[in-house]
Amino acid sequence: MKTILQIALGVIAAIGGFVDIGDLVFNAQAGSSVGTPALWAVPVGVVGIMIFAEMSGRIVAVSKKPNFVLVKERYGRNLSTFTLVASLVLTVLTLSAELGGLGFVLNYFFDVSVSFFVLAALFAVAAAIYFLPFGGLERVFGYLGLALLVYIAASLKLDPDWGEIGRGFVPESHSAAVYWYFVVGLIAAALMPYEIYFYSSGAVEEGWDRSDMKVNRANAFVGFGLGGLISVGILVASAQVFKPAGISPTSIGSVALIAQQPYAELGLVLALIGILFAVGGATIDTAFSAAYNLAQHQGWKWGKRFKLLDEPRFTLSLAGFLLAGFAIAETGVDPIELTEYAVIFSIPVIPLTYLPILLVGNDRNVMGEYVNGPLARVMGWAYFGLICVLALAAPVLFVATNGGG
């Protein structure tokens, strides 16, 4: 029973951490712009994060080493420092977008000012980080983030053309640059570097060992798989609601309106609650990811498993990244636009993030009997090749399409 509970909680935590503001925005915009023909990109990205998350969790269970420790060991000082700086810049940009999104969502409920609620969100996130244990953070934001399941229900309620949806899961050649921009963005949104940094560090926080292989697989496959289904639901529903009207989501509130059409006020409220806690969970994930990376690179003591006041460098860096994200969000920058930049320009960093996982997962001297099997090895290298292609294509497509416009 204990194992079943651990798996269930891990699945719920994975849902809350996977569908962040990047997935919400890119899936809604892809649905409104190019529609269901881009659907195939969602499972491509989801399978990628499943493979590398499972591999990363397995490495932690065997070696107790989170991802940025692998980066430091495999790359040496110069390249690991470059990877650190690049990942911190992009993670803070993502953190800013998440905090800005929280401000907008809270303002929809209370209508005071977005700036005020960005500040309120900062205090709420800081309080949750300080007072809740690591498992509690996952469970609170994960459970309440399940309200996003309304998008799956909405996609069914809107009675889409199932033949068209089926064809959307088959990759096809397309001449429009904007189509490929969204395809690349959808894949990248599922593979954001902070997700894998947080996942591997979270496995250390929870003390995973060889007995937790089933928990790891449930997190990686079932949890991220359910998150992928929510992403598909958002894209399909957006294609039904926005595309025929020629409307593109311009705010996080626009994404919530997708659920209002089939379910009226109840759908809107459920969508806003789901977005609030999914984005809130992602805000915590990104803040911790930045602090984890810096601490692991510098060799500091880190983690919620210790008292925060007993590890001042880690705690100060965590607070500093939250404040940096808050400062950017308070400039009034559009969270949607900031998310687009963060997703697209995270892609060149993705190969540097995932290569050490693949190298260690394939290393029998480290992994022993838990080394990657033939399928994991082939799939891992295939996805790494795909990631490298995306890293070259993403900035070009961003410029060519003016950010998908």
Side-chain angles (χ1 to χ4, degrees):
M1 185 58 147
K2 181 180 178 182
T3 300
I4 293 173
L5 182 60
Q6 285 178 318
I7 292 172
L9 292 173
V11 168
I12 291 165
I15 294 171
F18 177 78
V19 187
D20 65 357
I21 194 167
D23 292 276
L24 289 164
V25 168
F26 253 90
N27 282 278
Q29 289 188 333
S32 68
S33 179
V34 299
T36 55
L39 266 174
W40 63 272
V42 177
V44 169
V46 172
V47 170
I49 192 65
M50 286 178 178
I51 290 170
F52 282 103
E54 189 281 331
M55 205 180 297
S56 178
R58 181 158 35 94
I59 290 169
V60 169
V62 172
S63 70
K64 308 302 180 186
K65 293 179 180 179
N67 200 18
F68 219 89
V69 170
L70 306 183
V71 168
K72 185 177 180 181
E73 289 181 351
R74 294 281 165 161
Y75 286 166
R77 181 179 179 84
N78 292 336
L79 187 54
S80 68
T81 300
F82 172 80
T83 306
L84 173 69
V85 173
S87 69
L88 290 181
V89 169
L90 290 164
T91 301
V92 170
L93 283 178
T94 307
L95 172 59
S96 305
E98 309 284 3
L99 277 172
L102 285 177
F104 274 95
V105 174
L106 288 168
N107 199 51
Y108 292 133
F109 282 108
F110 302 105
D111 194 21
V112 177
S113 80
V114 172
S115 180
F116 171 79
F117 281 115
V118 170
L119 179 61
L122 174 70
F123 281 113
V125 166
I129 288 172
Y130 185 79
F131 290 107
L132 291 177
F134 187 83
L137 288 170
E138 290 183 320
R139 294 163 196 173
V140 168
F141 289 92
Y143 270 120
L144 293 171
L146 283 173
L148 288 175
L149 291 171
V150 70
Y151 285 106
I152 297 178
S155 68
L156 299 174
K157 182 76 170 178
L158 289 165
D159 193 24
D161 182 335
W162 292 104
E164 182 180 320
I165 288 177
R167 289 189 293 273
F169 284 107
V170 179
E172 62 178 31
S173 178
H174 218 288
S175 60
V178 69
Y179 168 83
W180 290 108
Y181 169 80
F182 280 110
V183 164
V184 169
L186 289 169
I187 296 172
L191 290 164
M192 291 289 281
Y194 86 84
E195 292 177 355
I196 206 71
Y197 289 132
F198 182 81
Y199 186 89
S200 64
S201 297
V204 175
E205 293 270 36
E206 295 188 343
W208 284 4
D209 56 29
R210 288 171 172 82
S211 67
D212 291 299
M213 293 299 181
K214 289 182 180 179
V215 177
N216 175 45
R217 285 193 291 270
N219 273 274
F221 297 137
V222 182
F224 286 118
L226 287 174
L229 284 177
I230 293 173
S231 295
V232 167
I234 294 169
L235 193 155
V236 171
S238 177
Q240 302 303 306
V241 173
F242 288 148
K243 193 172 189 295
I247 297 172
S248 178
T250 56
S251 69
I252 199 70
S254 302
V255 179
L257 288 173
I258 295 170
Q260 185 180 33
Q261 181 160 325
Y263 294 115
E265 187 174 344
L266 176 62
L268 177 63
V269 171
L270 285 174
L272 286 171
I273 290 172
I275 291 171
L276 180 67
F277 283 94
V279 173
T283 304
I284 291 171
D285 290 2
T286 48
F288 267 111
S289 177
Y292 285 150
N293 289 359
L294 180 59
Q296 289 161 18
H297 182 269
Q298 296 300 110
W300 300 342
K301 182 180 177 183
W302 58 272
K304 276 285 286 181
R305 63 197 185 283
F306 307 115
K307 291 182 179 180
L308 290 179
L309 296 181
D310 291 341
E311 40 182 8
R313 290 177 295 188
F314 174 75
T315 302
L316 286 173
S317 66
L318 182 59
F321 290 126
L322 278 170
L323 289 173
F326 167 74
I328 296 171
E330 282 287 48
T331 63
V333 62
D334 181 3
I336 298 285
E337 185 176 345
L338 192 58
T339 299
E340 293 175 6
Y341 280 101
V343 169
I344 293 299
F345 288 101
S346 72
I347 298 176
V349 183
I350 292 177
L352 294 171
T353 299
Y354 287 97
L355 180 58
I357 300 172
L358 189 54
L359 294 175
V360 176
N362 289 335
D363 189 341
R364 188 173 293 276
N365 291 329
V366 176
M367 299 300 294
E369 64 179 298
Y370 296 101
V371 70
N372 287 341
L375 181 60
R377 191 182 296 261
V378 170
M379 292 291 287
W381 281 116
Y383 263 93
F384 183 74
L386 174 63
I387 287 167
C388 291
V389 172
L390 296 181
L392 296 173
V396 176
L397 288 169
F398 184 85
V399 173
T401 63
N402 192 26

